[in-house]
Amino acid sequence: MTQKENLYKVLSSFHVSEKSSNLIEKNNAFTLRVDIKSNKTDIKRSIEKFFQVFVEDVRTVIVKGKRKRFGKFFGNRKKWKKAYIKIKKGQNLNFLRKK
């Protein structure tokens, strides 16, 4: 796999919650769901490439999967990685681009 293909696979989706909405308003920080094997430098490169913004800081968290019941059996959801991306003041991620 080339480096360019790897950058495409890093980002999954935006994570929308009350906490992430507050971070956008106060700190200009966005929350994304990313590949669990990705590191902070891969995340930073892919954000800067796709959205043409300057990333100041990247923080990551591995979210443990919840324990769920399926009939009489118990199982766990998959764990996943969440990234908090702080971008330079005055810039914005245009993930809803109008054409």
Side-chain angles (χ1 to χ4, degrees):
M1 178 173 13
T2 64
Q3 186 179 11
K4 189 174 183 179
E5 290 174 357
N6 190 23
L7 291 178
Y8 285 115
K9 294 182 180 181
V10 170
L11 305 177
S12 295
S13 63
F14 282 91
H15 182 72
V16 180
S17 66
E18 188 174 351
K19 181 180 178 181
S20 65
S21 299
N22 289 336
L23 285 173
I24 292 171
E25 293 172 3
K26 293 180 182 177
N27 299 335
N28 204 22
F30 293 85
T31 310
L32 290 129
R33 199 171 188 159
V34 295
D35 184 30
I36 197 143
K37 295 178 184 177
S38 62
N39 56 24
K40 292 181 181 184
T41 55
D42 289 340
I43 296 168
K44 182 177 179 177
R45 281 188 209 142
S46 61
I47 291 291
E48 288 177 345
K49 180 180 177 175
F50 294 129
F51 297 107
Q52 288 85 33
V53 294
F54 179 74
V55 176
E56 287 184 0
D57 188 31
V58 177
R59 293 177 289 148
T60 59
V61 177
I62 294 179
V63 180
K64 185 179 175 184
K66 291 183 179 180
R67 186 165 169 86
K68 299 299 282 186
R69 184 176 181 154
F70 302 101
K72 64 179 184 177
F73 302 105
F74 285 94
N76 291 326
R77 290 185 181 167
K78 291 183 179 180
K79 61 183 179 178
W80 54 282
K81 190 178 243 185
K82 180 171 31 172
Y84 296 102
I85 292 119
K86 185 174 182 181
I87 59 175
K88 192 174 181 180
K89 200 169 192 175
Q91 294 183 338
N92 193 5
L93 290 183
N94 294 325
F95 54 92
L96 296 175
R97 293 184 180 167
K98 294 181 180 178
K99 292 186 178 184

